[in-house]
Amino acid sequence: MTETATLPVAERQRRADLVHKLRAAFADCQFLFETEDTVAYECDGLAAYRQLPLAVALPETEAQVQHILRVCTELKVPVVPRGAGTCLSGGALPIEDGIVLSLAKFKHIVELNPLARTATVQPGVRNLAISEAAAPYGLYYAPDPSSQIACTIGGNVAENSGGVHCLKYGLTVNNILKVRAVTMDGEVVEFGSLAPDAPGLDLLGVFIGSEGMFAVVTEVVVKLVPKPQCAQVIMASFDDVVKGGEAVAAIIAAGIIPAGLEMMDGPATRAVEEFVHAGYDLSAAAILLCEADGTPEEVAEEIARTIAVLETSGVTRIQVSQSEAERLMFWSGRKNAFPAAGRLSPDYYCMDGTIPRRHIGTLLGRIAEMERQYALRCINVFHAGDGNMHPLILFNGNDADEWHRAELFGADILETCVELGGTITGEHGVGVEKINSMCVQFSPEERDAFFAVKHAFDPVGLLNNDKAIPTRARCAEYGKLHVHHGQLPHPDLPRF
């Protein structure tokens, strides 16, 4: 029996009437409303939270997006923009009685300008497709999230995505020049410019990372960078994860900014090696991948300096890639850490906290204690260079108690990140997953300020609403029921 069939007759009729109005209004674009069609949109990469949308609209032009948003504003229908659905925080989770506005058909590269080193693309263009199109000109798009083969640039803008090379080349916000979007009332707006800077407030910086709550992206101008002449990766092994964490801090302290600086603990390394056979050291408690790129001379000098730092940091084994194929193989392991975790457990819960680099060892020690507390395993992979941690909590989603403990485990990790001077998200966003943790990191006044910015862009509150920013009432309830560190919170914590 479908969810709709269980509703009272009057409610079913109301929804049917609303769908009829939307179908009539959106006759010029593809419109899905049957359950068997919309069920594919009931969740994003965070599959634990599910909600069937009222319908799904798939426009092909900006004018159609404007029309959809104007009609939804008139009918007071909530709208959730969606890219490829790879988001890991529930940012693309449908809203009850709302529509999903899919940008899947906006998949054209409008212009690639090798002289200006820019690409103008629609939001449904895959991240990796930009680099593939720019490759003949010796250029590429630097941000490279692990999902880059599938994730779209519109989603990257919404979440301010990073990747393994973000330490040197920056996050999405550092690689976007201009965004064109449509507000909930159908107005076309532009943020940024083709110049290095734009006059007035930095609304581009405000917009990137806004998780689809401000406007719907229809076009993006990205920066392209030249492919380096040469790149090599050091694979360094440590017999203790704390030593590995301290080595990361030592590398940065030495003034070295690697192209990539990634770390995996022993369990993650073993899971990855069984999956991709990257040649990882299975005897290590942690391995560090450190990449240098540039001219051959620059790379040789940086590799030598980095090895010198590692040798004073307790490294037990050092291996340097000797070919491009070997370099890519080293990275393939790190980029396949998430699917590799799927071989260890029916489900995994990927966290996204960020901490100061000097506290990496401290957080990993805390996570080990939490494994015992919540009786669940956790493997750790992270962007060590900028302290963005991705603990993967392993659990069985068919066991309600295990899923509950996994949620509590994740919240504990995020709040520990805040305690250590960090934040609850580095690149996955808040969405619905971390909305309770926002109560811990930000004061009521700060959250009110966030709501004020949201209201400035979307005064009617229909665009991806009730996500990312918790209300005062929600946080008050969370505060009453929540006990941090050492005890399980009350099972009736507010959630989605």
Side-chain angles (χ1 to χ4, degrees):
M1 182 178 292
T2 67
E3 176 184 316
T4 303
T6 64
L7 296 172
V9 174
E11 177 62 15
R12 291 206 304 271
Q13 185 60 50
R14 185 191 67 80
R15 290 167 65 103
D17 290 344
L18 187 55
V19 168
H20 179 74
K21 291 179 181 178
L22 293 171
R23 285 182 66 190
F26 305 155
D28 61 341
C29 77
Q30 188 174 3
F31 186 73
L32 310 177
F33 59 94
E34 298 290 356
T35 300
E36 58 264 33
D37 295 322
T38 62
V39 71
Y41 297 85
E42 69 176 353
C43 68
D44 56 17
L46 184 66
Y49 300 105
R50 297 173 183 268
Q51 171 66 57
L52 272 178
L54 183 69
V56 179
L58 292 101
E60 297 184 47
T61 67
E62 185 178 79
Q64 289 177 346
V65 172
Q66 289 179 276
H67 179 61
I68 289 169
L69 294 177
R70 285 172 181 150
V71 170
C72 287
T73 297
E74 180 184 344
L75 297 176
K76 294 184 170 52
V77 175
V79 176
V80 175
R82 180 185 172 102
T86 58
C87 174
L88 293 171
S89 65
L93 181 76
I95 296 172
E96 187 177 9
D97 270 0
I99 72 163
V100 168
L101 199 165
S102 170
L103 281 304
K105 294 190 174 186
F106 280 68
K107 55 185 179 182
H108 299 294
I109 296 178
V110 178
E111 180 189 33
L112 199 152
N113 188 331
L115 297 179
R117 294 181 180 174
T118 62
T120 303
V121 304
Q122 293 185 322
V125 173
R126 293 179 302 111
N127 175 292
L128 187 59
I130 300 175
S131 293
E132 291 170 343
Y137 305 100
L139 302 170
Y140 74 108
Y141 179 61
D144 57 344
S146 295
S147 59
Q148 68 176 151
I149 193 172
C151 67
T152 62
I153 194 65
N156 291 173
V157 168
E159 305 298 337
N160 192 21
S161 304
V164 299
H165 291 93
C166 65
L167 176 62
K168 182 174 181 177
Y169 294 100
L171 301 163
T172 299
V173 70
N174 307 114
N175 290 274
I176 300 292
L177 287 172
K178 185 178 177 181
V179 170
R180 184 178 172 93
V182 182
T183 62
M184 192 65 211
D185 61 4
E187 179 186 1
V188 175
V189 291
E190 292 187 351
F191 307 104
S193 74
L194 298 180
D197 199 0
L201 298 173
D202 181 18
L203 293 180
L204 179 65
V206 172
F207 185 80
I208 295 174
S210 58
E211 303 193 31
M213 297 190 301
F214 293 175
V216 178
V217 177
T218 57
E219 193 172 272
V220 182
V221 180
V222 306
K223 299 177 186 176
L224 301 175
V225 295
K227 286 185 177 179
Q229 293 180 30
C230 175
Q232 283 185 287
V233 175
I234 300 171
M235 181 171 68
S237 304
F238 295 87
D239 58 10
D240 180 78
V241 292
V242 174
K243 290 180 183 177
E246 292 173 348
V248 170
I251 290 170
I252 302 300
I256 302 170
I257 305 298
L261 188 55
E262 302 285 308
M263 191 170 170
M264 294 184 287
D265 67 6
T269 301
R270 289 187 287 274
V272 166
E273 183 59 23
E274 291 175 4
F275 186 56
V276 298
H277 308 293
Y280 289 164
D281 181 2
L282 297 182
S283 66
I287 67 166
L288 189 64
L289 298 175
C290 183
E291 179 167 287
D293 68 4
T295 65
E297 294 79 12
E298 289 171 332
V299 170
E301 179 188 10
E302 188 171 311
I303 291 288
R305 291 177 62 203
T306 304
I307 288 176
V309 173
L310 292 170
E311 288 176 340
T312 63
S313 301
V315 69
T316 58
R317 173 180 162 183
I318 291 177
Q319 183 176 345
V320 181
S321 63
Q322 297 302 310
S323 67
E324 179 65 5
E326 188 173 33
R327 182 186 77 87
L328 293 175
M329 181 58 74
F330 284 175
W331 280 123
S332 74
R334 168 59 186 87
K335 290 203 166 193
N336 282 284
F338 292 0
R343 295 164 59 94
L344 302 180
S345 175
D347 299 279
Y348 65 84
Y349 188 23
C350 177
M351 305 314 298
D352 173 45
T354 298
I355 57 170
R357 286 182 290 265
R358 65 183 181 278
H359 291 316
I360 289 176
T362 302
L363 180 61
L364 291 175
R366 291 274 194 92
I367 289 174
E369 295 172 4
M370 293 176 202
E371 287 186 273
R372 294 186 287 272
Q373 175 186 340
Y374 297 105
L376 293 172
R377 293 178 296 159
C378 182
I379 65 176
N380 295 281
V381 299
F382 40 98
H383 305 308
D386 57 4
N388 186 198
M389 313 291 283
H390 290 319
L392 301 174
I393 301 167
L394 309 180
F395 71 102
N396 181 357
N398 293 318
D399 184 326
D401 180 64
E402 280 203 20
W403 168 226
H404 178 58
R405 282 185 279 126
E407 280 190 296
L408 302 178
F409 193 163
D412 209 344
I413 290 174
L414 297 180
E415 292 178 31
T416 301
C417 289
V418 174
E419 179 187 321
L420 294 174
T423 181
I424 62 171
T425 181
E427 57 179 339
H428 293 176
V430 176
V432 299
E433 174 208 20
K434 303 183 184 78
I435 194 165
N436 288 332
S437 297
M438 287 284 286
C439 303
V440 175
Q441 180 160 4
F442 296 102
S443 69
E445 293 74 22
E446 289 170 320
R447 297 193 303 271
D448 288 347
F450 296 159
F451 274 121
V453 176
K454 158 73 170 168
H455 185 266
F457 283 89
D458 178 27
V460 293
L462 292 174
L463 197 55
N464 214 17
N465 218 32
D466 297 327
K467 296 179 185 175
I469 314 169
T471 62
R472 287 197 175 210
R474 183 185 185 95
C475 288
E477 186 68 13
Y478 186 67
K480 284 192 298 183
L481 298 174
H482 177 59
V483 180
H484 180 45
H485 291 326
Q487 298 184 50
L488 296 185
H490 192 282
D492 293 329
L493 283 173
R495 56 171 292 181
F496 286 76

